[in-house]
């Protein structure tokens, strides 16, 4: 169970490595810090250990792995937790990276 993402959404995200041969994968979920300049776009999710693969925009922008559990415990500069963008729709990675 996740505090950030409903179980139904998690079950619809491809498993880790499932999209590794996809040239332009879909980003399914957008998480962000409301009081800092960090954003995480989830492309794949491991239902076993709750590891995510996706696009992280922070000090730099890069593809990588991150822990959903860790994100749920992080607080920004003003003590605010990470939030899920409720208005975000699954979007091709190329559109996110380009824009």
């Amino acid at each position: 169970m996740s505090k950030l993402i409903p179980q139904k959404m998690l079950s619809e995200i491809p498993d880790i490595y499932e999209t590794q041969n996809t040239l332009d994968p879909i980003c399914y979920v957008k998480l962000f810090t409301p009081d800092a300049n960090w954003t995480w776009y989830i492309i794949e999710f491991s239902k076993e250990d709750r590891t995510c693969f996706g696009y992280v925009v922070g000090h730099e922008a890069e593809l990588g792995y991150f822990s959903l559990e860790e994100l749920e415990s992080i607080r920004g500069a003003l003590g605010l937790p990470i939030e899920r963008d409720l208005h975000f729709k699954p979007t091709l990675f190329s559109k996110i990276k380009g824009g």
Side-chain angles (χ1 to χ4, degrees):
M1 186 156 134
S2 170
K3 298 175 195 169
L4 288 171
I5 307 168
Q7 192 59 45
K8 182 176 179 356
M9 286 182 82
L10 287 175
S11 66
E12 294 171 355
I13 299 172
D15 204 7
I16 293 290
Y17 308 121
E18 206 172 306
T19 68
Q20 69 183 358
N21 294 321
T22 304
L23 292 177
D24 196 7
I26 294 172
C27 296
Y28 288 88
V29 176
K30 176 184 177 184
L31 304 174
F32 66 96
T33 52
D35 56 353
N37 289 324
W38 282 80
T39 305
W40 296 263
Y41 295 92
I42 299 174
I43 295 171
E44 299 174 341
F45 176 70
S46 170
K47 285 110 181 135
E48 290 177 19
D49 66 7
R50 296 168 40 93
T51 297
C52 301
F53 175 76
Y55 188 53
V56 182
V57 181
H59 297 298
E60 296 180 20
E62 60 188 352
L63 288 167
Y65 295 90
F66 47 93
S67 163
L68 188 56
E69 262 181 45
E70 187 177 331
L71 292 184
E72 290 172 346
S73 68
I74 291 175
R75 297 292 177 264
L78 300 175
L80 298 174
I82 291 173
E83 296 181 21
R84 177 171 53 91
D85 183 339
L86 301 177
H87 302 286
F88 182 79
K89 303 276 186 252
T91 304
L92 291 171
F93 172 63
S94 62
K95 292 195 184 278
I96 290 170
K97 188 176 180 192

XYZ file of all heavy atoms in Angstrom:
806
model
N 0.844 -1.194 0.000
C 0.000 0.000 0.000
C 0.884 1.251 0.000
O 1.914 1.292 0.640
C -0.902 -0.019 1.222
C -1.896 1.093 1.201
S -3.310 0.666 2.204
C -3.503 2.153 3.103
N 0.454 2.241 -0.712
C 1.227 3.467 -0.837
C 0.413 4.656 -0.342
O -0.779 4.745 -0.595
C 1.613 3.679 -2.296
O 2.167 4.960 -2.480
N 1.089 5.558 0.333
C 0.440 6.798 0.757
C 0.287 7.752 -0.419
O -0.624 8.562 -0.445
C 1.286 7.495 1.827
C 1.492 6.727 3.091
C 2.450 7.493 3.991
C 2.971 6.623 5.105
N 4.065 7.244 5.827
N 1.200 7.649 -1.387
C 1.223 8.595 -2.501
C 0.388 8.180 -3.704
O -0.164 9.021 -4.395
C 2.673 8.788 -2.979
C 3.589 9.586 -2.073
C 5.033 9.497 -2.565
C 3.144 11.032 -2.031
N 0.348 6.871 -3.963
C -0.262 6.390 -5.203
C -1.285 5.306 -4.896
O -0.956 4.322 -4.235
C 0.816 5.822 -6.149
C 1.923 6.856 -6.356
C 0.207 5.426 -7.482
C 3.155 6.312 -7.035
N -2.523 5.450 -5.370
C -3.530 4.406 -5.153
C -3.085 3.070 -5.758
O -2.418 3.034 -6.795
C -4.768 4.938 -5.876
C -4.542 6.400 -6.054
C -3.061 6.589 -6.121
N -3.465 1.978 -5.107
C -3.074 0.641 -5.539
C -3.481 0.363 -6.983
O -2.734 -0.240 -7.738
C -3.684 -0.407 -4.599
C -3.096 -1.788 -4.789
C -1.589 -1.830 -4.556
O -1.087 -1.270 -3.599
N -0.877 -2.486 -5.441
N -4.643 0.832 -7.389
C -5.104 0.608 -8.767
C -4.131 1.228 -9.765
O -3.814 0.628 -10.780
C -6.512 1.177 -8.948
C -7.080 0.932 -10.350
C -8.497 1.405 -10.467
C -9.152 1.229 -11.790
N -8.436 0.711 -12.904
N -3.637 2.424 -9.473
C -2.661 3.077 -10.355
C -1.350 2.297 -10.384
O -0.755 2.103 -11.448
C -2.392 4.515 -9.902
C -3.497 5.482 -10.211
S -3.061 7.154 -9.676
C -2.071 7.664 -11.069
N -0.886 1.854 -9.220
C 0.365 1.099 -9.147
C 0.288 -0.176 -9.975
O 1.249 -0.553 -10.643
C 0.707 0.754 -7.699
C 1.197 1.900 -6.824
C 1.377 1.433 -5.389
C 2.496 2.491 -7.366
N -0.866 -0.832 -9.940
C -1.005 -2.097 -10.659
C -1.007 -1.902 -12.178
O -0.777 -2.840 -12.922
C -2.267 -2.829 -10.211
O -3.415 -2.109 -10.590
N -1.244 -0.686 -12.645
C -1.268 -0.407 -14.082
C 0.096 0.009 -14.634
O 0.288 0.067 -15.841
C -2.300 0.684 -14.376
C -3.719 0.221 -14.087
C -4.749 1.330 -14.161
O -4.378 2.512 -14.353
O -5.936 1.016 -14.013
N 1.066 0.272 -13.750
C 2.402 0.680 -14.181
C 3.200 -0.567 -14.554
O 3.192 -1.543 -13.811
C 3.118 1.463 -13.054
C 2.323 2.724 -12.705
C 4.544 1.818 -13.477
C 2.837 3.454 -11.476
N 3.895 -0.560 -15.694
C 4.702 -1.727 -16.081
C 5.736 -2.067 -15.010
O 6.234 -1.181 -14.309
C 5.395 -1.281 -17.372
C 4.556 -0.172 -17.899
C 3.962 0.504 -16.695
N 6.076 -3.351 -14.918
C 7.059 -3.809 -13.951
C 8.461 -3.357 -14.377
O 8.688 -3.012 -15.539
C 6.995 -5.334 -13.836
C 7.529 -5.845 -12.511
O 7.824 -5.021 -11.615
O 7.658 -7.070 -12.368
N 9.384 -3.353 -13.425
C 10.779 -2.981 -13.685
C 11.312 -3.798 -14.870
O 11.082 -5.007 -14.940
C 11.638 -3.202 -12.423
C 11.237 -2.238 -11.300
C 13.128 -3.088 -12.721
C 11.601 -0.788 -11.520
N 12.016 -3.142 -15.771
C 12.640 -3.682 -16.994
C 11.642 -4.006 -18.105
O 12.054 -4.365 -19.196
C 13.497 -4.922 -16.712
C 14.513 -4.729 -15.629
C 14.508 -5.524 -14.499
C 15.474 -3.725 -15.732
C 15.444 -5.337 -13.489
C 16.413 -3.528 -14.725
C 16.389 -4.341 -13.612
O 17.312 -4.148 -12.616
N 10.355 -3.862 -17.842
C 9.353 -4.224 -18.854
C 9.390 -3.306 -20.076
O 9.036 -3.725 -21.172
C 7.961 -4.207 -18.217
C 6.972 -5.109 -18.901
C 5.672 -5.225 -18.125
O 5.702 -5.570 -16.928
O 4.623 -4.949 -18.731
N 9.819 -2.068 -19.903
C 9.830 -1.127 -21.027
C 11.247 -0.806 -21.509
O 11.435 0.146 -22.255
C 9.119 0.194 -20.661
O 9.890 0.892 -19.680
C 7.717 -0.047 -20.152
N 12.249 -1.601 -21.083
C 13.634 -1.254 -21.396
C 13.937 -1.200 -22.894
O 14.859 -0.508 -23.309
C 14.610 -2.179 -20.687
C 14.625 -3.600 -21.160
C 15.595 -4.448 -20.336
O 16.265 -3.955 -19.439
N 15.652 -5.719 -20.633
N 13.170 -1.875 -23.732
C 13.379 -1.818 -25.174
C 12.405 -0.874 -25.871
O 12.323 -0.853 -27.095
C 13.281 -3.224 -25.777
C 14.411 -4.112 -25.294
O 15.545 -3.667 -25.150
N 14.112 -5.364 -25.018
N 11.680 -0.095 -25.090
C 10.728 0.871 -25.635
C 11.454 2.196 -25.870
O 12.071 2.734 -24.950
C 9.558 1.078 -24.647
O 8.958 -0.181 -24.376
C 8.522 2.027 -25.212
N 11.397 2.704 -27.082
C 12.105 3.943 -27.405
C 11.517 5.162 -26.704
O 12.243 6.065 -26.315
C 12.103 4.167 -28.918
C 12.936 3.179 -29.724
C 12.786 3.456 -31.213
C 14.400 3.235 -29.305
N 10.205 5.188 -26.560
C 9.547 6.345 -25.944
C 8.506 5.846 -24.937
O 7.310 5.818 -25.230
C 8.902 7.209 -27.029
C 8.543 8.599 -26.533
O 8.902 8.951 -25.391
O 7.884 9.332 -27.295
N 8.960 5.454 -23.734
C 8.022 4.901 -22.753
C 7.061 5.961 -22.208
O 7.271 7.160 -22.384
C 8.937 4.373 -21.648
C 10.154 5.221 -21.741
C 10.323 5.542 -23.204
N 6.054 5.485 -21.537
C 5.045 6.362 -20.941
C 5.405 6.636 -19.485
O 5.785 5.731 -18.741
C 3.653 5.710 -21.026
C 3.226 5.594 -22.488
C 2.622 6.492 -20.211
C 1.962 4.798 -22.707
N 5.287 7.879 -19.086
C 5.402 8.267 -17.675
C 3.980 8.209 -17.116
O 3.087 8.909 -17.603
C 5.972 9.668 -17.543
S 7.661 9.815 -18.167
N 3.771 7.365 -16.112
C 2.422 7.106 -15.607
C 2.007 8.000 -14.451
O 0.823 8.303 -14.290
C 2.299 5.641 -15.171
C 2.276 4.704 -16.342
C 3.456 4.203 -16.870
C 1.087 4.362 -16.968
C 3.446 3.364 -17.972
C 1.068 3.525 -18.068
C 2.249 3.036 -18.562
O 2.231 2.214 -19.665
N 2.970 8.382 -13.621
C 2.666 9.143 -12.408
C 3.684 10.266 -12.261
O 4.863 10.087 -12.567
C 2.740 8.226 -11.159
C 2.522 9.025 -9.883
C 1.730 7.097 -11.247
N 3.215 11.420 -11.793
C 4.100 12.547 -11.509
C 4.010 12.857 -10.018
O 2.920 13.108 -9.489
C 3.680 13.776 -12.312
C 4.498 15.024 -11.987
C 3.973 16.225 -12.749
C 4.732 17.483 -12.384
N 4.155 18.674 -13.044
N 5.168 12.816 -9.355
C 5.269 13.202 -7.949
C 6.137 14.449 -7.872
O 7.034 14.634 -8.703
C 5.908 12.077 -7.128
C 5.224 10.717 -7.203
C 6.058 9.669 -6.471
C 3.827 10.776 -6.620
N 5.902 15.295 -6.876
C 6.687 16.524 -6.782
C 6.755 17.012 -5.339
O 5.931 16.637 -4.501
C 6.082 17.618 -7.674
C 4.723 18.075 -7.209
C 4.590 19.204 -6.413
C 3.579 17.368 -7.562
C 3.338 19.627 -5.977
C 2.322 17.776 -7.137
C 2.212 18.909 -6.334
N 7.754 17.846 -5.078
C 7.848 18.509 -3.778
C 7.233 19.890 -3.936
O 7.664 20.663 -4.784
C 9.316 18.638 -3.322
O 10.073 19.233 -4.373
C 9.917 17.305 -2.952
N 6.228 20.208 -3.128
C 5.585 21.519 -3.256
C 6.465 22.667 -2.760
O 6.221 23.819 -3.089
C 4.309 21.391 -2.413
C 4.536 20.234 -1.518
C 5.538 19.344 -2.174
N 7.505 22.343 -1.975
C 8.360 23.403 -1.425
C 9.825 23.256 -1.842
O 10.727 23.746 -1.184
C 8.234 23.450 0.092
C 8.554 22.133 0.760
O 8.758 21.132 0.057
O 8.602 22.091 2.003
N 10.058 22.559 -2.948
C 11.402 22.418 -3.520
C 11.232 22.119 -5.006
O 10.124 21.865 -5.469
C 12.163 21.294 -2.822
N 12.311 22.148 -5.739
C 12.221 21.953 -7.188
C 12.598 20.539 -7.593
O 13.526 20.337 -8.371
C 13.124 22.968 -7.912
C 12.572 24.366 -7.838
O 11.367 24.558 -7.882
N 13.437 25.340 -7.703
N 11.880 19.558 -7.091
C 12.119 18.159 -7.441
C 10.838 17.552 -7.982
O 9.744 17.790 -7.442
C 12.577 17.362 -6.222
C 14.024 17.591 -5.889
C 14.544 18.658 -5.208
C 15.117 16.763 -6.239
N 15.901 18.525 -5.110
C 16.287 17.362 -5.736
C 15.231 15.559 -6.927
C 17.539 16.811 -5.891
C 16.491 15.006 -7.074
C 17.623 15.629 -6.565
N 10.989 16.745 -9.046
C 9.859 16.049 -9.649
C 10.313 14.652 -10.042
O 11.433 14.468 -10.510
C 9.356 16.795 -10.906
O 9.066 18.149 -10.549
C 8.097 16.159 -11.458
N 9.437 13.671 -9.832
C 9.689 12.287 -10.204
C 8.558 11.817 -11.116
O 7.383 11.937 -10.768
C 9.706 11.379 -8.973
C 10.799 11.673 -8.000
C 12.004 11.034 -7.904
C 10.794 12.654 -6.954
N 12.737 11.563 -6.866
C 12.019 12.564 -6.273
C 9.870 13.618 -6.536
C 12.345 13.379 -5.201
C 10.200 14.435 -5.472
C 11.425 14.308 -4.817
N 8.912 11.286 -12.279
C 7.947 10.717 -13.216
C 8.185 9.205 -13.228
O 9.282 8.755 -13.564
C 8.148 11.273 -14.622
C 7.882 12.751 -14.743
C 8.910 13.673 -14.595
C 6.599 13.216 -15.014
C 8.671 15.038 -14.715
C 6.356 14.579 -15.133
C 7.390 15.481 -14.981
O 7.141 16.835 -15.100
N 7.185 8.431 -12.872
C 7.341 6.982 -12.779
C 6.991 6.320 -14.105
O 5.882 6.491 -14.619
C 6.470 6.414 -11.639
C 6.899 7.032 -10.304
C 6.571 4.888 -11.602
C 6.013 6.646 -9.132
N 7.958 5.533 -14.625
C 7.790 4.792 -15.872
C 7.543 3.315 -15.576
O 6.731 2.675 -16.227
C 9.032 4.968 -16.769
C 9.159 6.434 -17.195
C 8.968 4.046 -17.992
C 10.467 6.770 -17.911
N 8.266 2.778 -14.585
C 8.139 1.369 -14.195
C 8.091 1.281 -12.678
O 8.589 2.166 -11.977
C 9.341 0.553 -14.694
C 9.500 0.529 -16.184
C 10.784 -0.165 -16.623
O 11.716 -0.324 -15.812
O 10.845 -0.555 -17.792
N 7.501 0.190 -12.192
C 7.362 0.016 -10.736
C 7.493 -1.457 -10.374
O 6.830 -2.304 -10.981
C 5.995 0.538 -10.279
C 5.718 0.329 -8.820
C 6.407 1.046 -7.860
C 4.767 -0.596 -8.416
C 6.158 0.841 -6.511
C 4.507 -0.804 -7.069
C 5.205 -0.078 -6.122
N 8.337 -1.770 -9.392
C 8.459 -3.139 -8.893
C 7.463 -3.344 -7.766
O 7.575 -2.709 -6.709
C 9.876 -3.405 -8.376
O 9.906 -4.636 -7.685
N 6.489 -4.214 -8.013
C 5.491 -4.492 -6.984
C 6.115 -5.251 -5.813
O 5.599 -5.216 -4.710
C 4.329 -5.296 -7.579
C 3.406 -4.433 -8.432
C 3.533 -4.790 -9.901
C 2.638 -3.939 -10.768
N 3.279 -3.421 -11.951
N 7.263 -5.917 -6.053
C 7.916 -6.700 -5.004
C 8.598 -5.824 -3.962
O 8.389 -5.995 -2.763
C 8.942 -7.656 -5.612
C 8.307 -8.778 -6.390
C 9.341 -9.672 -7.035
O 10.513 -9.660 -6.602
O 8.968 -10.383 -7.979
N 9.456 -4.896 -4.411
C 10.210 -4.098 -3.434
C 9.921 -2.602 -3.502
O 10.608 -1.814 -2.875
C 11.710 -4.372 -3.563
C 12.287 -3.906 -4.891
O 11.575 -3.251 -5.678
O 13.467 -4.206 -5.145
N 8.907 -2.216 -4.274
C 8.445 -0.829 -4.368
C 9.517 0.122 -4.905
O 9.583 1.284 -4.545
C 7.906 -0.363 -3.021
C 6.683 -1.156 -2.595
C 6.247 -0.968 -1.166
N 6.315 0.374 -0.657
C 5.326 1.263 -0.668
N 4.171 0.942 -1.186
N 5.486 2.453 -0.151
N 10.369 -0.423 -5.782
C 11.358 0.401 -6.469
C 10.732 0.936 -7.745
O 10.021 0.220 -8.439
C 12.613 -0.431 -6.824
O 13.213 -0.884 -5.617
C 13.614 0.382 -7.622
N 11.015 2.185 -8.041
C 10.514 2.820 -9.249
C 11.672 3.103 -10.196
O 12.803 3.320 -9.761
C 9.853 4.154 -8.923
S 8.482 4.052 -7.781
N 11.372 3.111 -11.481
C 12.304 3.605 -12.483
C 11.594 4.741 -13.186
O 10.410 4.631 -13.529
C 12.676 2.523 -13.504
C 13.535 3.046 -14.607
C 14.881 3.292 -14.400
C 12.998 3.330 -15.852
C 15.684 3.802 -15.415
C 13.786 3.837 -16.877
C 15.132 4.069 -16.658
N 12.306 5.837 -13.371
C 11.675 6.951 -14.049
C 12.601 8.119 -14.256
O 13.829 8.004 -14.124
N 12.009 9.225 -14.559
C 12.722 10.454 -14.871
C 12.673 11.349 -13.646
O 11.593 11.673 -13.143
C 12.042 11.121 -16.062
C 12.767 12.309 -16.639
C 14.093 12.227 -17.009
C 12.094 13.503 -16.848
C 14.748 13.316 -17.576
C 12.733 14.597 -17.418
C 14.065 14.496 -17.773
O 14.704 15.568 -18.335
N 13.844 11.724 -13.157
C 13.940 12.553 -11.956
C 14.490 13.914 -12.356
O 15.534 14.001 -13.005
C 14.875 11.902 -10.905
C 14.927 12.764 -9.649
C 14.413 10.491 -10.577
N 13.776 14.958 -11.983
C 14.217 16.317 -12.255
C 14.481 16.977 -10.905
O 13.557 17.193 -10.114
C 13.154 17.114 -13.051
C 13.646 18.521 -13.334
C 12.795 16.391 -14.340
N 15.754 17.247 -10.642
C 16.162 17.876 -9.384
C 17.349 18.775 -9.668
O 17.259 19.691 -10.468
N 18.494 18.464 -9.040
C 19.715 19.217 -9.348
C 20.075 19.030 -10.823
O 20.614 19.921 -11.456
C 20.870 18.759 -8.456
C 20.636 19.019 -7.006
N 20.480 20.287 -6.497
C 20.512 18.182 -5.960
C 20.270 20.214 -5.192
N 20.283 18.937 -4.850
N 19.802 17.832 -11.332
C 19.969 17.504 -12.740
C 18.709 16.756 -13.165
O 17.898 16.387 -12.329
C 21.191 16.611 -12.943
C 22.499 17.277 -12.567
C 23.681 16.368 -12.780
O 23.565 15.393 -13.555
O 24.723 16.633 -12.177
N 18.576 16.512 -14.447
C 17.460 15.706 -14.952
C 18.046 14.414 -15.496
O 18.937 14.451 -16.348
C 16.713 16.457 -16.044
N 17.580 13.274 -14.961
C 18.140 11.999 -15.397
C 17.166 10.856 -15.154
O 16.289 10.945 -14.300
C 19.454 11.714 -14.673
C 19.306 11.638 -13.162
C 20.644 11.547 -12.435
O 21.688 11.385 -13.095
O 20.640 11.629 -11.212
N 17.361 9.784 -15.925
C 16.611 8.557 -15.702
C 17.300 7.786 -14.590
O 18.532 7.769 -14.518
C 16.585 7.713 -16.982
C 15.701 8.244 -18.100
C 16.003 7.516 -19.397
C 14.234 8.094 -17.731
N 16.518 7.160 -13.706
C 17.135 6.395 -12.633
C 16.114 5.670 -11.789
O 14.909 5.719 -12.037
N 16.635 4.986 -10.779
C 15.809 4.214 -9.852
C 15.646 4.984 -8.554
O 16.555 5.687 -8.114
C 16.472 2.854 -9.572
C 16.537 1.981 -10.791
C 17.626 2.020 -11.643
C 15.482 1.132 -11.108
C 17.682 1.232 -12.778
C 15.525 0.339 -12.255
C 16.630 0.395 -13.073
O 16.677 -0.389 -14.195
N 14.477 4.846 -7.939
C 14.221 5.476 -6.647
C 13.196 4.651 -5.898
O 12.413 3.905 -6.478
C 13.778 6.937 -6.806
C 12.711 7.173 -7.841
C 11.371 7.179 -7.497
C 13.054 7.396 -9.173
C 10.390 7.404 -8.451
C 12.078 7.625 -10.134
C 10.747 7.623 -9.769
N 13.221 4.783 -4.586
C 12.358 4.001 -3.706
C 11.086 4.776 -3.381
O 11.153 5.915 -2.901
C 13.118 3.689 -2.411
O 12.235 3.284 -1.397
N 9.948 4.150 -3.610
C 8.673 4.789 -3.275
C 8.583 4.999 -1.766
O 8.109 6.031 -1.306
C 7.503 3.947 -3.787
C 6.120 4.577 -3.680
C 6.056 5.932 -4.380
C 5.072 3.647 -4.248
N 9.077 4.032 -0.987
C 9.062 4.180 0.476
C 9.863 5.394 0.916
O 9.442 6.142 1.789
C 9.627 2.914 1.136
C 8.546 1.991 1.605
C 9.119 0.754 2.270
O 10.039 0.875 3.096
O 8.619 -0.331 1.950
N 11.032 5.579 0.312
C 11.858 6.725 0.668
C 11.153 8.032 0.314
O 11.148 8.977 1.103
C 13.205 6.645 -0.053
C 14.170 7.701 0.395
C 15.530 7.571 -0.274
O 15.923 6.444 -0.624
O 16.182 8.613 -0.451
N 10.532 8.082 -0.855
C 9.816 9.301 -1.249
C 8.693 9.623 -0.270
O 8.426 10.791 0.013
C 9.252 9.171 -2.663
C 10.250 9.112 -3.806
C 9.512 9.081 -5.145
C 11.224 10.275 -3.770
N 8.040 8.589 0.240
C 6.939 8.810 1.182
C 7.425 9.399 2.504
O 6.645 9.998 3.239
C 6.188 7.502 1.421
C 5.395 7.071 0.198
C 4.783 5.680 0.313
O 5.164 4.912 1.228
O 3.930 5.362 -0.524
N 8.715 9.257 2.808
C 9.237 9.759 4.078
C 9.937 11.113 3.946
O 10.222 11.760 4.954
C 10.215 8.743 4.672
O 11.385 8.661 3.879
N 10.192 11.554 2.715
C 10.924 12.811 2.489
C 10.035 14.018 2.790
O 8.844 14.023 2.498
C 11.425 12.881 1.030
C 12.517 11.845 0.817
C 11.918 14.275 0.669
C 12.990 11.757 -0.620
N 10.663 15.046 3.337
C 9.993 16.330 3.558
C 10.860 17.411 2.915
O 12.080 17.349 2.960
C 9.840 16.639 5.055
C 8.960 15.645 5.812
C 7.507 15.752 5.367
N 6.636 14.793 5.997
C 6.266 13.629 5.494
N 6.756 13.231 4.338
N 5.422 12.841 6.110
N 10.219 18.409 2.330
C 10.939 19.505 1.693
C 11.406 20.533 2.709
O 11.294 20.342 3.925
N 11.897 21.652 2.202
C 12.475 22.704 3.036
C 11.500 23.245 4.083
O 11.902 23.617 5.187
C 12.976 23.843 2.150
N 10.220 23.259 3.758
C 9.212 23.771 4.697
C 8.513 22.648 5.457
O 7.511 22.873 6.129
C 8.173 24.613 3.950
C 8.726 25.847 3.216
C 7.633 26.537 2.424
C 9.374 26.804 4.205
N 9.036 21.427 5.313
C 8.458 20.289 6.019
C 7.272 19.650 5.310
O 6.600 18.789 5.877
N 7.020 20.040 4.062
C 5.884 19.489 3.326
C 6.254 18.157 2.669
O 7.365 18.006 2.151
C 5.417 20.471 2.245
C 4.906 21.818 2.762
C 4.611 22.753 1.595
C 3.678 21.627 3.624
N 5.335 17.199 2.674
C 5.621 15.903 2.042
C 5.502 15.997 0.524
O 4.915 16.929 -0.025
C 4.525 14.996 2.609
C 3.392 15.924 2.888
C 4.017 17.221 3.311
N 6.060 14.992 -0.129
C 5.913 14.868 -1.576
C 4.447 14.598 -1.897
O 3.756 13.922 -1.135
C 6.823 13.738 -2.089
C 8.281 14.184 -1.951
C 6.497 13.356 -3.523
C 9.282 13.113 -2.266
N 3.978 15.122 -3.012
C 2.590 14.956 -3.428
C 2.525 14.351 -4.822
O 3.469 14.461 -5.603
C 1.878 16.317 -3.476
C 1.769 17.003 -2.145
C 1.042 18.342 -2.253
O 0.301 18.557 -3.238
O 1.234 19.172 -1.352
N 1.392 13.752 -5.131
C 1.124 13.264 -6.483
C 0.328 14.331 -7.212
O -0.623 14.902 -6.669
C 0.319 11.957 -6.431
C -0.050 11.426 -7.819
C -0.653 10.026 -7.742
N -1.767 9.934 -6.833
C -3.046 10.123 -7.174
N -3.365 10.415 -8.419
N -3.996 10.003 -6.275
N 0.708 14.623 -8.437
C -0.033 15.571 -9.270
C -1.326 14.888 -9.701
O -1.314 13.985 -10.528
C 0.816 15.963 -10.482
C 0.143 17.004 -11.365
O -1.101 17.151 -11.298
O 0.854 17.659 -12.138
N -2.427 15.294 -9.123
C -3.723 14.665 -9.366
C -4.248 14.921 -10.773
O -5.138 14.213 -11.243
C -4.745 15.152 -8.335
C -4.386 14.890 -6.871
C -5.443 15.480 -5.950
C -4.196 13.418 -6.608
N -3.711 15.920 -11.451
C -4.184 16.268 -12.790
C -3.307 15.697 -13.901
O -3.612 15.871 -15.074
C -4.279 17.790 -12.929
C -5.181 18.390 -11.904
N -6.555 18.284 -11.950
C -4.904 19.075 -10.766
C -7.076 18.879 -10.898
N -6.095 19.364 -10.167
N -2.211 15.042 -13.517
C -1.285 14.478 -14.503
C -1.906 13.266 -15.185
O -2.462 12.393 -14.545
C 0.025 14.068 -13.814
C 1.054 13.515 -14.752
C 1.818 14.361 -15.537
C 1.263 12.146 -14.854
C 2.776 13.861 -16.404
C 2.213 11.631 -15.717
C 2.978 12.493 -16.491
N -1.789 13.228 -16.496
C -2.261 12.093 -17.294
C -1.038 11.380 -17.850
O -0.033 12.027 -18.167
C -3.131 12.582 -18.458
C -4.334 13.408 -18.036
C -5.484 12.530 -17.671
C -6.734 13.315 -17.389
N -7.111 13.375 -16.020
N -1.080 10.057 -17.991
C 0.065 9.353 -18.574
C 0.503 10.028 -19.878
O -0.309 10.350 -20.734
C -0.475 7.945 -18.809
C -1.483 7.765 -17.718
C -2.148 9.119 -17.611
N 1.815 10.280 -19.953
C 2.383 11.079 -21.030
C 3.667 10.434 -21.537
O 4.441 9.891 -20.749
C 2.717 12.508 -20.492
O 1.527 13.071 -19.937
C 3.251 13.410 -21.583
N 3.900 10.499 -22.834
C 5.135 9.979 -23.404
C 6.342 10.725 -22.813
O 6.314 11.943 -22.640
C 5.140 10.118 -24.927
C 4.173 9.226 -25.685
C 4.120 9.623 -27.155
C 4.577 7.760 -25.536
N 7.379 9.953 -22.534
C 8.605 10.504 -21.962
C 9.158 11.644 -22.828
O 9.612 12.665 -22.311
C 9.637 9.389 -21.780
C 10.991 9.873 -21.365
C 11.183 10.523 -20.159
C 12.085 9.698 -22.190
C 12.418 10.972 -19.766
C 13.338 10.140 -21.816
C 13.504 10.781 -20.604
N 9.122 11.495 -24.135
C 9.657 12.509 -25.039
C 8.972 13.867 -24.845
O 9.600 14.912 -24.959
C 9.546 12.071 -26.491
O 8.189 11.879 -26.855
N 7.693 13.840 -24.535
C 6.953 15.102 -24.316
C 7.362 15.748 -23.000
O 7.423 16.973 -22.889
C 5.451 14.856 -24.344
C 4.953 14.464 -25.722
C 3.440 14.595 -25.803
C 2.923 14.125 -27.112
N 3.012 15.088 -28.172
N 7.653 14.949 -21.983
C 8.071 15.480 -20.690
C 9.504 15.997 -20.765
O 9.798 17.100 -20.320
C 7.911 14.404 -19.598
C 6.427 14.190 -19.358
C 8.631 14.812 -18.323
C 6.064 13.047 -18.506
N 10.374 15.209 -21.353
C 11.779 15.595 -21.442
C 11.948 16.822 -22.332
O 12.757 17.698 -22.046
C 12.621 14.446 -21.976
C 14.091 14.719 -21.919
C 14.889 13.539 -22.371
C 16.358 13.880 -22.286
N 17.189 12.926 -22.956
N 11.161 16.894 -23.386
C 11.273 18.018 -24.316
C 10.651 19.299 -23.793
O 10.984 20.381 -24.214
N 9.741 19.163 -22.832
C 9.026 20.342 -22.366
C 9.326 20.636 -21.001
O 9.376 21.387 -20.238
